[in-house]
Amino acid sequence: MPFSHKHHVGQLGIDCRYCHNGVETSSSAGLPATEVCMTCHSQLFTNADMLAPVRASLAGGKPIEWQRVNSVPDFVFFNHAIHVNKGVACETCHGEVDDMPLTRRAHTLSMEWCLGCHRNPEPHLRPPQDVFLMHWQPPVDIDEIRRQLIGVLDIHPETMTDCYVCHR
C-alpha cells in the first residue's frame, strides 16, 4: 500500500509520534495500527481505492502489512527511545521524510555510518524537544548548546563505540 509521508507529514503536519507511538519509550518506533489510520480515514477519503487495504484490514481484524524501509541486522540492538531522548532527530537517520512521496532509505545505516555518530555525537544533537521538527534550523549558539547537551543528557562518547552498546 503506498503511503506518502510528504502528504501526511509535509502537507498535513502530522507529528511522527502520532503514527510511530513507541518512538519515545521503546526500542521500536512502531508502525501504525489500522485504527490509527482509520482515525482520519473513517471520515476522509472513505471510498478511495488506494485505502481499500486499510478498510480490509479493519474489517478482517488483520494488521496492515507495512513494507519495512529501514532495518538493521538481527545481531544489532537498536533503541529508538534512547536516540530521540538523547537529542538525535528523526531526520538524522531517516532523512527529510516530509519531502518523500514514497519512503526511501536516506542513509546506509551501516555499522561505519552509525559509528561515525557514536564517535562524535555532538554535531548530530539538538535539544530533545526539537527532535521531531523537520527542517530544524539551529540557533546561532548551537555549538555551545551541543556541548552542554553532552553533559545534561548524560551522553558518554568514550563508551559509545564499545561493542556491547549495539551487540548484545
Side-chain angles (χ1 to χ4, degrees), residues 24-123:
E24 293 178 288
T25 58
S26 174
S27 61
S28 171
L31 295 169
T34 304
E35 292 77 10
V36 172
C37 301
M38 291 304 291
T39 300
C40 297
H41 290 300
S42 64
Q43 304 293 315
L44 301 168
F45 307 110
T46 56
N47 293 317
D49 289 340
M50 78 166 37
L51 294 174
V54 178
R55 292 190 300 274
S57 169
L58 184 67
K62 185 179 177 202
I64 295 171
E65 293 183 26
W66 294 103
Q67 183 179 2
R68 184 169 293 282
V69 175
N70 293 291
S71 63
V72 293
D74 290 341
F75 56 83
V76 175
F77 174 77
F78 178 83
N79 186 317
H80 272 93
I82 194 75
H83 285 81
V84 298
N85 290 314
K86 297 284 185 175
V88 179
C90 302
E91 62 186 352
T92 301
C93 303
H94 297 291
E96 295 171 343
V97 296
D98 63 322
D99 290 333
M100 295 181 190
L102 289 177
T103 307
R104 67 184 184 286
R105 183 181 266 195
H107 300 286
T108 65
L109 306 183
S110 69
M111 181 173 168
E112 187 56 38
W113 186 82
C114 294
L115 280 171
C117 187
H118 278 222
R119 286 183 187 115
N120 184 21
E122 223 172 87

